[in-house]
Amino acid sequence: MKLILLGAPGAGKGTQAEILSRELQIPTISTGNILRAAIKDGTPVGLQAKAFIEAGALVPDSVIMGIIEERLAKDDCKNGYILDGVPRTIPQAEAMEKQGIEIDTALSIEVDDEVIIARMSGRRTCKNCSQTFHVVSNPPKQEGICDFCGGELTIRADDAPETVKARLETYHRETEPLKAFYAERGKLATVENQPTIDATTTVIKNTLGI
């Protein structure tokens, strides 16, 4: 199964991608994690991307497409994959089609902006492994410490309320039109956000027939 997860920043795409990845035994390709690793390592691409991300703007297509094409060429993607955070724009989606990157379903998780702003202010990210937690809905076992690697949990610069608002404006302008793009191709499925992570997963699995 080849999936794209759509939805505003903070809609829960990363969390649901991890769950579906385990269920379907296919990798999640998250541009956010790839880019954050590059930023942490101080690579040329990382330094380039850093200014865009911290301003709540989109990273240029040329950077994103190169990263994605390399990743999908790896052996673990032969039986399918989940794309989280790409494509972000119609030109990116068109570029993916030209590159022969196929998808079965574009799944959009629908969440109100007010809910997202409240949700992201409680998000914490591990400095070491980029695992995410939430102080209310998905807290770590020990406050401020990653369950997986013991790293320090921090508030990412792009989770600050003013940055979140800028990112939501960018999403509605640049990314939301992808819903119509994939609807025209008969590949769009939408899921309303549920009160819990598990409930959202159940609705997604029912929608995908898994």
Side-chain angles (χ1 to χ4, degrees):
M1 187 176 279
K2 296 169 182 174
L3 294 175
I4 289 173
L5 291 187
L6 298 175
K13 299 185 298 296
T15 300
Q16 295 300 330
E18 281 179 25
I19 294 166
L20 291 170
S21 175
R22 287 196 297 270
E23 292 270 342
L24 298 168
Q25 296 191 310
I26 55 176
T28 297
I29 314 300
S30 166
T31 50
N33 285 347
I34 295 169
L35 285 169
R36 275 191 287 280
I39 289 167
K40 186 182 171 193
D41 295 341
T43 67
V45 171
L47 294 172
Q48 224 181 340
K50 186 176 181 182
F52 289 96
I53 291 173
E54 288 185 348
L58 295 173
V59 177
D61 288 359
S62 56
V63 177
I64 299 292
M65 289 300 107
I67 288 172
I68 292 302
E69 198 167 13
E70 271 184 7
R71 182 66 186 86
L72 295 185
K74 295 189 176 176
D75 284 349
D76 63 343
C77 292
K78 282 181 179 171
N79 295 323
Y81 43 78
I82 302 164
L83 292 175
D84 168 21
V86 66
R88 286 183 188 266
T89 63
I90 286 175
Q92 283 186 4
E94 290 171 342
M96 282 171 52
E97 286 188 342
K98 284 178 188 164
Q99 288 172 335
I101 297 171
E102 297 175 3
I103 66 136
D104 299 313
T105 305
L107 183 76
S108 179
I109 303 173
E110 305 290 320
V111 189
D112 290 338
D113 285 5
E114 296 74 23
V115 173
I116 283 173
I117 291 166
R119 179 185 289 180
M120 290 180 77
S121 64
R123 189 156 74 171
R124 302 291 181 268
T125 303
C126 178
K127 270 187 173 178
N128 294 341
C129 72
S130 298
Q131 193 71 36
T132 58
F133 299 85
H134 192 278
V135 294
V136 177
S137 63
N138 182 31
K141 289 170 186 163
Q142 186 179 343
E143 189 178 341
I145 303 294
C146 177
D147 292 355
F148 296 86
C149 75
E152 181 190 351
L153 300 182
T154 61
I155 300 174
R156 282 179 11 210
D158 50 337
D159 285 343
E162 61 277 9
T163 308
V164 172
K165 285 175 186 171
R167 292 174 72 201
L168 285 169
E169 284 171 16
T170 302
Y171 167 76
H172 291 305
R173 186 176 64 250
E174 303 281 353
T175 306
E176 204 161 28
L178 284 169
K179 291 198 286 187
F181 179 90
Y182 286 112
E184 284 170 12
R185 287 154 176 75
K187 294 186 174 181
L188 180 71
T190 58
V191 170
E192 293 294 327
N193 181 54
Q194 303 298 310
T196 65
I197 290 170
D198 287 348
T200 303
T201 302
T202 299
V203 175
I204 288 172
K205 286 167 76 173
N206 289 340
T207 301
L208 295 174
I210 58 173

